Amino acid sequence: MKILLTGANGYIGMRVLPLLLEQGHDVVCAVRSADRLSVDKETKERIDIIEMDLLDEVKPNLIPKDIDVAYYLVHSMSSSTSDFSDKEQITANHFNTYMKETQVKQVIFLSGIVNEDNLSKHLESRKNVESILYEGNYNLTVIRAGIIVGSGSASFEIIRDLCEKLPLMITPKWVNTRCQPIGIRDVLKFLTGVLGKEETYGDSFDIGGPDVLTYKDMMKNYAKVRRLSLTIVNVPVMTPKLSSYWLYFVTSTSYKLASNLVDSMRVNVIAKDNRLQDILGIKPHTYEEAIEMAFIKIEQNQVISSWKDSKVSSRYSQKDLNKYIKVPKFGCLHDHQQMKANNPKEALEKIWAIGGKNGWYYANTLWKIRGYFDKLSGGVGLRRGRTNPDKINSGDSLDFWRVLMADKEERRLLLFAEMRVPGEAWLEFYIDDENVVHQNATFRPKGLIGRLYWYSMLPFHFFIFNGMLTQICKT
């Protein structure tokens, strides 16, 4: 079949894509920017890519008319609590308008479990989107999931951060809320299993694993699987705002995402029935099995996607990032250093492995301090790390940078700063034909404060950047 995959660059979309290709389907990926689709060159050659933002006005003839099935994997949970519901309604209505121009037979929508009367703003918005999509001229299949457990998922990584870092936790009362977690592997089975399945047309299905747990149970069970010592003490005085700040400073989440997650965590998220499980013959894994499978992927460096690489973790919208792909020359301050590489192949591998657990090769303590102060001021800090220790694609997050370009054949890596600075900053590495490694730091200051910031950092830049380049070129 010919399948339209919206949200192709998101956590779920990145995992659905290879499965659809393995099944032999023709896939059209709809993304805000083709440059930010974080897949390798071989995968890009096997798919069609269209650039579209469902918040923008509908553009005629943008989507191929011969689409058979479409996946709707778009959400705006990273937006502020005051406007994401409006954005989600706009994107759903625009999606329906686009679908009118096609011969699409089925749309598959991944939503949240909405069985409570008093829903969070996020779950209420998901329910509204579902209602809008039911108005489309196609057969809608809705899969409603709760907490998704898998390497790179926001909920899993938050639990992982909390349990690995805090042997003693003072927690708010929402840790007693019940939910029904499900492994990412099972979610993908359901998403691909309903493809073209007429029994699922025009219906909504809850999916969940076999365990109904509180968030406290989930953390305790995580600690059990990981053989960690964990003590949890509940307190009734922690407000939603304090809880959001707590998640923000302890974990790698953004404050907006933390706020929306805390709002959702007060609602019980439990599946109503197992109809889809019976229709497709799928037996979901237990919560502890899902954790173990996640760590198999983590330990083998096979994490396909992470919420940290998506827009949800970025300070900038996709439209903003698109304009930074070309590094400006005028009105900027520069630090250019170069050094001959004795082994250019090894130097390139070091560049491709920079950041995350590998560090920045020189004065890592100072990088960590800079990340701490960035987090303290509301920035992303260094906690995002990187999804893979030695592979990188355009669009990936890399500590407090965003990868604008990663072209190994051209031997060039271009990063854009997402930390809080009074201006805009780029860091570029490239190796020329003479095997000289060039390291360019470019800063476009914002007013006098921006210039004072740059000049105050010059002494640090001199020995940090020089030391980093020396380590990259050293064999």
Side-chain angles (χ1 to χ4, degrees):
M1 290 185 281
K2 192 163 189 175
I3 298 174
L4 175 70
L5 183 61
T6 67
N9 209 30
Y11 175 72
I12 300 293
M14 287 283 289
R15 298 190 178 221
V16 170
L17 175 58
L19 297 178
L20 296 177
L21 292 175
E22 283 175 17
Q23 293 174 3
H25 301 294
D26 295 327
V27 183
V28 180
C29 291
V31 292
R32 292 186 182 92
S33 170
D35 293 328
R36 274 215 54 213
L37 184 58
S38 305
V39 296
D40 55 40
K41 188 176 181 180
E42 291 75 18
T43 302
K44 281 191 176 181
E45 290 173 351
R46 297 176 61 192
I47 61 177
D48 294 317
I49 303 173
I50 56 175
E51 292 187 328
M52 62 182 290
D53 188 335
L54 287 170
L55 284 172
D56 293 340
E57 290 298 318
V58 174
K59 300 174 183 176
N61 304 316
L62 184 61
I63 296 175
K65 289 183 169 47
D66 57 345
I67 293 292
D68 297 304
V69 176
Y71 280 90
Y72 190 82
L73 303 176
V74 179
H75 67 82
S76 301
M77 197 170 176
S78 60
S79 303
S80 67
T81 54
S82 61
D83 68 355
F84 74 78
S85 181
D86 292 338
K87 287 183 177 180
E88 291 208 321
Q89 289 186 50
I90 292 169
T91 56
N93 280 310
H94 285 174
F95 175 80
N96 278 350
T97 302
Y98 276 116
M99 290 301 98
K100 287 178 183 177
E101 300 179 355
T102 72
Q103 63 183 33
V104 65
K105 300 178 185 67
Q106 181 189 24
V107 168
I108 300 167
F109 171 45
L110 179 62
S111 185
I113 293 176
V114 288
N115 295 330
E116 294 285 303
D117 293 330
N118 186 18
L119 296 173
S120 67
K121 291 180 181 178
H122 170 246
L123 290 175
E124 190 67 51
S125 179
R126 295 274 82 186
K127 191 175 181 179
N128 291 339
V129 168
E130 186 176 320
S131 298
I132 293 170
L133 295 181
Y134 267 118
E135 296 171 1
N137 62 329
Y138 44 74
N139 300 295
L140 180 66
T141 301
V142 181
I143 297 176
R144 298 167 171 170
I147 296 294
I148 296 176
V149 182
S151 55
S153 79
S155 51
F156 172 78
E157 295 298 338
I158 286 172
I159 289 173
R160 182 184 174 192
D161 276 346
L162 290 172
C163 296
E164 301 278 353
K165 294 175 181 177
L166 300 175
L168 171 64
M169 270 188 253
I170 309 298
T171 57
K173 60 183 179 181
W174 53 252
V175 297
N176 293 318
T177 303
R178 295 189 306 152
C179 59
Q180 195 167 350
I182 183 169
I184 179 61
R185 191 174 301 189
D186 296 318
V187 174
L188 297 174
K189 285 180 183 177
F190 284 113
L191 283 171
T192 55
V194 298
L195 192 59
K197 203 86 170 175
E198 293 187 8
E199 303 99 298
T200 68
Y201 287 2
D203 207 347
S204 301
F205 303 91
D206 291 350
I207 60 171
D211 305 308
V212 176
L213 305 166
T214 65
Y215 288 102
K216 184 176 180 177
D217 292 333
M218 288 175 66
M219 290 188 282
K220 285 282 192 180
N221 289 7
Y222 177 95
K224 175 186 169 186
V225 172
R226 296 288 290 156
R227 295 181 175 85
L228 301 171
S229 174
L230 179 63
T231 301
I232 298 175
V233 180
N234 289 10
V235 293
V237 294
M238 197 174 285
T239 65
K241 192 163 189 175
L242 281 174
S243 297
S244 301
Y245 279 119
W246 179 62
L247 285 182
Y248 171 67
F249 283 111
V250 175
T251 74
S252 54
T253 186
S254 67
Y255 180 74
K256 287 179 182 177
L257 181 57
S259 298
N260 288 322
L261 285 172
V262 167
D263 185 43
S264 294
M265 284 171 174
R266 64 179 173 79
V267 181
N268 291 316
V269 180
I270 302 170
K272 190 166 52 179
D273 57 58
N274 297 318
R275 287 183 302 135
L276 190 59
Q277 197 172 307
D278 297 333
I279 291 171
L280 301 180
I282 295 172
K283 184 180 179 181
H285 295 83
T286 66
Y287 174 63
E288 291 185 14
E289 288 171 341
I291 293 173
E292 289 168 350
M293 289 188 293
F295 273 96
I296 289 172
K297 293 294 184 184
I298 292 168
E299 288 161 4
Q300 293 177 348
N301 296 324
Q302 293 181 344
V303 180
I304 296 173
S305 62
S306 171
W307 74 273
K308 300 172 187 177
D309 290 331
S310 66
K311 184 190 169 193
V312 72
S313 75
S314 178
R315 278 188 62 207
Y316 297 85
S317 71
Q318 187 52 56
K319 290 177 183 177
D320 290 335
L321 283 170
N322 288 344
K323 65 188 181 185
Y324 294 124
I325 192 71
K326 188 173 181 180
V327 183
K329 294 181 180 178
F330 302 104
C332 296
L333 302 167
H334 304 273
D335 181 295
H336 174 251
Q337 301 191 35
Q338 62 184 59
M339 191 175 295
K340 180 87 171 183
N342 294 326
N343 187 332
K345 185 176 180 181
E346 185 178 322
L348 185 63
E349 293 303 325
K350 286 182 179 179
I351 291 171
W352 244 245
I354 203 166
K357 290 183 179 179
N358 297 323
W360 292 80
Y361 303 136
Y362 189 79
N364 275 321
T365 300
L366 293 178
W367 284 95
K368 289 176 182 178
I369 291 171
R370 179 67 180 88
Y372 173 77
F373 280 111
D374 186 60
K375 188 84 172 177
L376 204 60
S377 65
V380 295
L382 292 179
R383 291 179 181 170
R384 292 187 307 188
R386 50 183 294 160
T387 302
N388 191 289
D390 53 19
K391 295 178 183 176
I392 199 162
N393 294 296
S394 299
D396 287 354
S397 64
L398 200 166
D399 290 337
F400 44 43
W401 303 89
R402 179 70 59 176
V403 181
L404 294 183
M405 177 180 290
D407 191 326
K408 214 164 188 180
E409 290 183 5
E410 294 290 327
R411 303 197 294 184
R412 183 185 180 214
L413 177 67
L414 177 62
L415 309 176
F416 179 72
E418 291 193 322
M419 78 282 276
R420 290 193 175 274
V421 289
E424 297 151 352
W426 293 258
L427 182 60
E428 179 185 27
F429 300 91
Y430 74 91
I431 304 175
D432 66 20
D433 294 337
E434 304 297 323
N435 293 328
V436 173
V437 180
H438 296 260
Q439 180 181 271
N440 298 320
T442 303
F443 184 69
R444 182 158 57 189
K446 188 175 182 180
L448 180 60
I449 293 176
R451 290 185 174 272
L452 289 174
Y453 169 82
W454 172 264
Y455 289 117
S456 69
M457 295 297 291
L458 275 182
F460 298 100
H461 286 174
F462 176 76
F463 74 87
I464 290 175
F465 286 161
N466 181 265
M468 182 167 62
L469 184 59
T470 300
Q471 292 300 315
I472 288 172
C473 294
K474 187 172 73 172
T475 56

